Amino acid sequence: MATTKRYDVKDLALAPEGIRRIAWADRQMPVLAAIRDRFEHEQPLAGYRVAACLHVTTETANLMRTLKAGGADVVLCASNPLSTQDDVAAALVDEFDIAVFAIKGEDNDTYYAHIEAAVDHKPQLTMDDGADVIGVLHSARREQLGDIIAGTEETTTGVIRLKALEADGKLGFPIIAVNEAKTKHLFDNRYGTGQSTIDGIIRATNVLLAGKRFVVAGYGWVGRGVASRARGMGAHVIVTEVDPLRALEAAMDGFEVLTMDRAAEIGDLFCTATGDKSVISRSHIEVMKDGAILSNTGHFNVEIEIPALRQLATETREARQFVEEFTLENGHRVYLVADGRLVNLAAAEGHPALVMDMSFANQALAAEFAIANAATLERKVYPVPDEIDREIAKLKLDTMGIEIDRLTEEQARYLASWNEGT
Ligand SMILES: NC(=O)c1ccc[n+]([C@@H]2O[C@H](COP(=O)([O-])OP(=O)(O)OC[C@H]3O[C@@H](n4cnc5c(N)ncnc54)[C@H](O)[C@@H]3O)[C@@H](O)[C@H]2O)c1
């Protein structure tokens, strides 16, 4: 199908491979497929313009198809300059007639020009992963704020920023925080990022994890997943934290908990997963072992102090695709994977489709909910309604062939009472 829309992708000739891979992911996304079938009949998004700024992957492609099936007029740009799968971008344009502005490895100016192109679409609904579209709308394009019914936000870092905007009284339209859904962060952040981060590190470096000291910074949902999967590969995992409760949990889960000052001296591999900045700083890099490998799976590439790493280096070279070697003054070589950007998306393919099925089911149902409830939503950050969370969990269990018990009437009464049971 020839596109009717404006777009900017690497090469439309890549479309056939993208179409094959989108179909492969679709097989692992039955919940989203069921929603797509319903959307096709009910048209809950009919005529609404949507600007989505998400990692341009096969799973995102299936979400875009679902929004389009629901009647939306969709434009997609990337939420990270390195995470775009060029074949998927080409397929969306060529096969599914969806406007895409995204090229893997695009420079910063192109990245922001692509976000502007999505905003030019005059969206009534935004869908962000890291609040970049919302950022542009709240700065350079304030005149468009009034046209927007609502937005959705996919990730922890974006939700933190939007809550800060709300607290300052400056949020321009209602937001549904998809990340806060249990069927999102308990699964995507932990199991999806856990597996795909390890996958990205291994694809980029081909190192054996068994027997290595693997330092995970942050023991949130993402850090827990990375730590448990690295342990599963035989690594000796060290966790660093700033929150005493999370640190205690990591210790009781059996991980060694150290400060980054100490971990920096002994780690073979490092992976930051905090959403914070300068977690691995100049002083840490200075004491690292020869051969230390640094990666990040938090949203932005600020967790490792890359400018300091560049300053400390007497020489740099590309050691492998996605791996840059920095030779320090003391002769030690330190390796940075994927320029410190989300390693699972830059050096691998992001989360497996099966887990994105739930995250993107939340996105689709949050979009439907926002439009259906436009009249009552205020300029606040809202959680995904509990009914949607439970509905998605139930659909997922059904598609996995798992049945669960139901409360009897007597049990329901017992659990709701205060005077029964001694
Ligand atoms: N790579 C991916 O595909 C992917 C997927 C989901 C989320 N994310 C991103 O990963 C990051 C973490 O997400 P999360 O859901 O685990 O968040 P979270 O809030 O559950 O966990 C973050 C943890 O980092 C800790 N932390 C903060 N500063 C620290 C520091 N200086 N040193 C050590 N620990 C520190 C916090 O105490 C917290 O426990 C966010 O940026 C999020 O957007 C990435």
Side-chain angles (χ1 to χ4, degrees), residues 55 155-158 160 179 184-185 188-189 193 196-197 217-224 240-243 246 273-279 297-300 303 342-345 351:
H55 302 295
T155 199
T156 317
T157 288
I160 290 170
N179 185 70
K184 199 282 181 180
H185 68 257
D188 164 327
N189 297 26
T193 318
S196 59
T197 296
Y219 202 64
W221 295 108
V222 171
R224 290 176 178 111
T240 73
E241 250 297 344
V242 291
D243 178 330
R246 294 260 167 105
T274 68
D276 195 1
K277 66 188 282 203
S278 303
V279 178
T297 199
H299 193 76
F300 289 115
E303 304 212 9
L342 299 156
V343 65
N344 60 332
L345 282 140
H351 301 345

Side-chain angles (χ1 to χ4, degrees), residues 94-394:
D94 205 43
E95 176 74 6
F96 299 106
D97 197 23
I98 290 172
V100 180
F101 295 85
I103 299 172
K104 182 162 182 145
E106 60 197 9
D107 62 23
N108 234 25
D109 288 348
T110 314
Y111 176 70
Y112 282 104
H114 282 162
I115 292 178
E116 295 271 345
V119 176
D120 286 344
H121 189 57
K122 302 264 182 295
Q124 293 152 294
L125 195 77
T126 64
M127 205 167 260
D128 261 297
D129 185 337
D132 277 343
V133 163
I134 291 176
V136 169
L137 285 165
H138 280 76
S139 50
R141 298 289 192 96
R142 296 192 62 82
E143 71 281 4
Q144 282 180 236
L145 285 177
D147 302 339
I148 297 172
I149 296 169
T152 65
E153 172 53 53
E154 171 80 6
T155 199
T156 317
T157 288
V159 172
I160 290 170
R161 292 178 154 200
L162 294 169
K163 285 189 174 160
L165 206 58
E166 181 190 1
D168 276 357
K170 293 189 176 139
L171 188 62
F173 48 86
I175 298 290
I176 314 289
V178 166
N179 185 70
E180 310 294 273
K182 293 193 184 70
T183 45
K184 199 282 181 180
H185 68 257
L186 291 180
F187 300 91
D188 164 327
N189 297 26
R190 183 163 37 170
Y191 305 114
T193 318
Q195 174 168 318
S196 59
T197 296
I198 301 296
D199 183 18
I201 294 170
I202 292 175
R203 285 198 208 193
T205 63
N206 198 25
V207 293
L208 183 75
L209 296 191
K212 295 274 167 40
R213 287 201 172 95
F214 191 116
V215 180
V216 179
Y219 202 64
W221 295 108
V222 171
R224 290 176 178 111
V226 175
S228 80
R229 271 34 187 171
R231 173 157 65 190
M233 300 290 284
H236 172 84
V237 177
I238 297 167
V239 169
T240 73
E241 250 297 344
V242 291
D243 178 330
L245 283 171
R246 294 260 167 105
L248 187 59
E249 184 184 343
M252 298 236 176
D253 283 345
F255 298 109
E256 186 175 2
V257 178
L258 293 177
T259 60
M260 186 56 86
D261 281 351
R262 291 194 52 207
E265 293 173 347
I266 57 174
D268 298 303
L269 293 117
F270 295 80
C271 183
T272 49
T274 68
D276 195 1
K277 66 188 282 203
S278 303
V279 178
I280 293 181
S281 66
R282 185 187 187 97
S283 61
H284 299 133
I285 296 165
E286 280 171 339
V287 299
M288 282 181 181
K289 297 201 298 200
D290 185 28
I293 294 172
L294 312 188
S295 61
N296 165 53
T297 199
H299 193 76
F300 289 115
N301 67 338
V302 296
E303 304 212 9
I304 300 166
E305 270 184 8
I306 299 170
L309 183 57
R310 296 206 180 281
Q311 276 172 8
L312 284 169
T314 55
E315 212 184 309
T316 66
R317 71 178 186 102
E318 188 182 19
R320 280 168 67 96
Q321 193 188 15
F322 301 127
V323 184
E324 197 173 355
E325 180 184 89
F326 295 80
T327 307
L328 310 185
E329 259 176 21
N330 60 9
H332 287 185
R333 283 152 304 172
V334 171
Y335 297 93
L336 178 67
V337 182
D339 204 22
R341 296 189 189 274
L342 299 156
V343 65
N344 60 332
L345 282 140
E349 294 175 64
H351 301 345
L354 196 117
V355 82
M356 292 313 290
D357 190 23
M358 287 191 284
S359 305
F360 284 167
N362 272 294
Q363 283 284 9
L365 296 185
E368 180 185 38
F369 171 83
I371 285 173
N373 293 279
T376 53
L377 292 177
E378 295 171 43
R379 286 183 285 167
K380 290 183 179 164
V381 178
Y382 290 90
V384 172
D386 199 45
E387 310 84 78
I388 291 185
D389 229 348
R390 288 183 174 277
E391 176 64 15
I392 291 172
K394 195 180 162 310

